[in-house]
């Protein structure tokens, strides 16, 4: 087990004073802070190796290409994909899911159905609305039961007409962990494809795409200590071979003639133009950092924090927590509201105490509407490897102070 307090020293942004208080950063579901090793790696790349990949034969180009492809191998290993052909670098989860939605447009017919859930982030919601509008397919939405995915509703809405099921692994609002492995089985029995939004799971728990058996799996580098602007789309090789490229141009071609072109092999068939080389290398370094800590240890640590924090939050009168009551099915994302207070006021008051949380709809408006919050928003505290018991204590204290301040 690692020492989270000690870990903070590796993250320059965590060691600062905000509004005269030491920063307590609890907005990790939005983005995570970066360790020095990642920052240094990116700087070193630009200082020493900066060149375009896959093209040049000069030494810097070879170094940049080797490092970029080494990062892809680190991602492959991290999620246990069969081959690096199945690991596409994208801008992030949003881009990854939009790419899959293009594949859906390629295969869907007007009578087909797409199944998503009400808890989806807009990036796994809006693209499917667009696909439905373009193809004439019907978009169906699975509801909630006791703060988590209603599996019975999913079974009932799944039919031979369903061609795509797109679900989040962990909700960025409710914090619930969806049983993707079991869902993959029933989805595949029905002959549909399973698309998984892994933005909130990949940074926090062991992902084995072969074991999960998702057909596509998306995640973002910036939510796992890596840089912004880099993410991953994993897809089964067979499907990626069937899928048309989404963008066209340099890097992704084999031959270009005046009247037609052919595509290069996977994974480069999808990576048109100069990629985010420094981003990929930074993500590779972030994976090294996570591996040194141990992803299982990170998961356990966050679980322990939640077990410590939940009873204390529940003891605050007027504080309502959303999501499953059961800690077992929960990741380190906690949404709540304080009765009578607007979530934005709560977040602003917490900021005055140095505590950074998020308030709003968290890019999940349909879910927030369903939760029946008075302001169509919640406060969200979200945790990571470097979050500590002291951070939890500070949050609880700051919430109590906020409550007192507004009730006087
Ligand atoms: N899905 C979920 C569940 C998320 O939490 C987020 C980020 N808030 C996204 C998708 C989108 O990720 P990105 O903005 O990195 O593309």
């Amino acid at each position: 087990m690692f020492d989270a307090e000690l870990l903070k020293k590796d993250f320059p942004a965590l060691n600062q004073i905000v509004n005269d208080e030491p920063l307590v950063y609890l907005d990790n579901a939005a983005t995570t802070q970066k360790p020095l090793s990642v920052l240094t790696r990116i700087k070193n790349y630009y200082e020493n190796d900066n060149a375009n990949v896959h093209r040049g034969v000069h030494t810097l180009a070879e170094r940049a290409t080797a490092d970029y492809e080494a990062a892809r191998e680190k991602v492959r290993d991290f999620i246990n994909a069969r081959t690096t052909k199945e690991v596409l670098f994208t801008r992030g989860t949003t881009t990854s899911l939009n790419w899959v939605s293009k594949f859906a447009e390629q295969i869907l017919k007007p009578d087909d159905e797409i199944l998503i859930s009400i808890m989806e982030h807009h990036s796994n919601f809006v693209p499917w609305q667009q696909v439905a509008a373009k193809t004439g397919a019907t978009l169906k939405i699975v509801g909630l039961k006791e703060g988590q995915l209603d599996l019975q509703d999913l079974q009932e809405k799944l039919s031979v007409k369903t061609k795509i099921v797109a679900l989040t692994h962990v909700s960025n609002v409710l914090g619930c962990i969806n049983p993707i492995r079991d869902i993959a089985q029933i989805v595949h029995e029905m002959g549909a494809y399973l698309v998984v939004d892994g933005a909130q799971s990949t940074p926090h728990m062991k992902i084995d795409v072969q074991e999960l058996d998702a057909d596509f799996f998306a995640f973002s580098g910036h939510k796992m200590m890596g840089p912004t602007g880099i993410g991953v789309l994993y897809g089964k090789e067979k499907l990626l071979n069937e899928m048309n490229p989404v963008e066209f141009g340099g890097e992704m071609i084999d031959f270009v003639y005046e009247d037609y072109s052919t595509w290069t092999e996977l994974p480069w068939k999808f990576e048109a133009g100069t990629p985010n080389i420094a981003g990929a290398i930074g993500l590779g370094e972030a994976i090294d950092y996570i591996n040194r800590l141990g992803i299982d240890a990170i998961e356990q640590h966050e679980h322990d924090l939640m077990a410590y924090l939940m009873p204390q939050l529940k003891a605050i009168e007027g504080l309502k927590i959303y999501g499953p009551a059961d800690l077992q099915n929960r990741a380190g994302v906690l949404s709540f509201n304080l009765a009578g207070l607007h979530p934005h006021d709560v977040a602003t008051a917490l900021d005055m105490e140095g505590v950074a949380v998020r308030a709003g709809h968290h890019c999940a408006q349909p879910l927030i509407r369903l939760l029946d919050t008075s302001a169509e928003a919640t406060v969200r505290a979200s945790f990571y490897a470097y979050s500590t018991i002291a951070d939890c204590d500070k949050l609880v204290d700051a919430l109590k102070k906020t409550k007192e301040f507004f009730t006087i």
Side-chain angles (χ1 to χ4, degrees):
M1 203 61 185
F2 54 86
D3 181 342
E5 198 64 63
L6 224 107
L7 224 66
K8 278 192 199 286
K9 296 194 191 342
D10 292 343
F11 294 79
L14 292 176
N15 298 301
Q16 60 176 300
I17 301 295
V18 169
N19 295 323
D20 298 328
E21 295 283 341
L23 171 65
V24 171
Y25 184 79
L26 298 180
D27 194 16
N28 293 288
T31 201
T32 55
Q33 299 303 342
K34 324 301 173 200
L36 254 180
S37 59
V38 169
L39 303 175
T40 310
R41 186 73 183 84
I42 294 168
K43 184 166 173 276
N44 281 346
Y45 163 73
Y46 278 122
E47 281 182 357
N48 301 305
D49 307 322
N50 178 48
N52 214 328
V53 288
H54 303 139
R55 287 177 199 153
V57 289
H58 61 80
T59 303
L60 263 61
E62 277 175 3
R63 266 194 239 145
T65 305
D67 287 354
Y68 180 70
E69 292 304 329
R72 196 190 308 274
E73 167 55 24
K74 287 180 192 183
V75 173
R76 186 211 61 75
D77 179 64
F78 190 65
I79 61 171
N80 195 31
R82 282 173 200 82
T83 144
T84 47
K85 290 180 186 171
E86 298 183 323
V87 176
L88 314 182
F89 282 124
T90 67
R91 273 198 308 128
T93 308
T94 305
T95 306
S96 301
L97 293 169
N98 273 275
W99 282 16
V100 185
S101 76
K102 295 293 166 213
F103 176 60
E105 282 176 21
Q106 202 182 312
I107 62 168
L108 288 182
K109 311 235 161 32
D111 254 358
D112 293 338
E113 291 178 1
I114 307 161
L115 198 52
I116 61 169
S117 88
I118 196 73
M119 73 174 77
E120 299 311 313
H121 186 280
H122 295 161
S123 65
N124 200 30
F125 210 118
V126 185
W128 300 112
Q129 286 177 333
Q130 294 295 312
V131 172
K134 280 188 193 157
T135 61
T138 305
L139 182 64
K140 291 199 158 175
I141 302 174
V142 179
L144 293 188
K145 190 176 177 191
E146 287 159 9
Q148 45 197 322
L149 193 68
D150 186 342
L151 291 172
Q152 202 182 328
D153 192 31
L154 189 145
Q155 298 241 19
E156 282 166 15
K157 285 181 175 146
L158 191 67
S159 80
V160 286
K161 288 186 168 186
T162 316
K163 293 294 177 302
I164 305 258
V165 178
L167 294 172
T168 193
H169 196 179
V170 168
S171 162
N172 66 317
V173 178
L174 304 168
C176 58
I177 305 169
N178 293 326
I180 293 300
R181 176 69 200 93
D182 299 343
I183 293 171
Q185 202 174 337
I186 58 169
V187 167
H188 289 148
E189 275 166 14
M190 212 47 95
Y193 295 126
L194 180 64
V195 182
V196 176
D197 172 352
Q200 296 295 346
S201 61
T202 314
H204 306 279
M205 63 184 67
K206 175 69 196 148
I207 297 300
D208 181 332
V209 286
Q210 295 188 56
E211 205 240 303
L212 286 175
D213 203 21
D215 297 291
F216 295 96
F217 190 95
F219 57 97
S220 300
H222 70 97
K223 291 185 199 280
M224 49 189 288
M225 308 186 187
T228 48
I230 188 81
V232 172
L233 174 61
Y234 157 84
K236 286 183 181 164
E237 187 178 348
K238 178 179 169 293
L239 297 177
L240 292 179
N241 277 325
E242 288 168 22
M243 181 170 157
N244 294 333
V246 182
E247 292 183 337
F248 302 90
E251 300 260 352
M252 53 75 66
I253 49 86
D254 196 4
F255 293 104
V256 177
Y257 301 100
E258 286 186 23
D259 50 353
Y260 80 99
S261 302
T262 57
W263 319 139
T264 191
E265 57 191 327
L266 289 174
W268 305 290
K269 169 181 135 184
F270 288 96
E271 295 179 6
T274 302
N276 184 352
I277 305 163
I281 292 170
L283 173 58
E285 195 65 35
I287 288 175
D288 286 345
Y289 188 90
I290 292 172
N291 283 340
R292 283 197 293 275
L293 296 180
I295 190 74
D296 292 337
I298 293 176
E299 184 180 10
Q300 186 60 49
H301 171 68
E302 290 177 27
H303 186 81
D304 293 348
L305 287 179
M306 297 302 278
Y308 176 80
L309 179 64
M310 280 279 253
Q312 300 192 58
L313 289 183
K314 281 183 181 159
I316 299 177
E317 220 189 298
L319 190 143
K320 177 175 174 171
I321 297 176
Y322 303 94
D326 180 8
L327 271 178
Q328 215 50 48
N329 286 334
R330 260 187 177 277
V333 177
L334 246 183
S335 279
F336 56 88
N337 269 324
L338 271 173
L341 296 187
H342 196 289
H344 287 125
D345 291 339
V346 175
T348 307
L350 292 181
D351 184 52
M352 295 317 293
E353 298 291 325
V355 180
V357 295
R358 178 84 163 249
H361 54 60
H362 315 296
C363 298
Q365 287 181 10
L367 171 64
I368 297 288
R369 256 173 239 127
L370 185 75
L371 292 181
D372 197 21
T373 61
S374 56
E376 297 216 338
T378 73
V379 183
R380 182 184 70 187
S382 50
F383 302 80
Y384 207 11
Y386 42 67
S387 308
T388 59
I389 292 285
D391 292 345
C392 296
D393 290 342
K394 184 71 197 264
L395 171 68
V396 171
D397 274 1
L399 279 168
K400 286 181 179 163
K401 272 194 195 166
T402 302
K403 224 187 112 181
E404 272 167 33
F405 177 81
F406 280 106
T407 44
I408 283 168

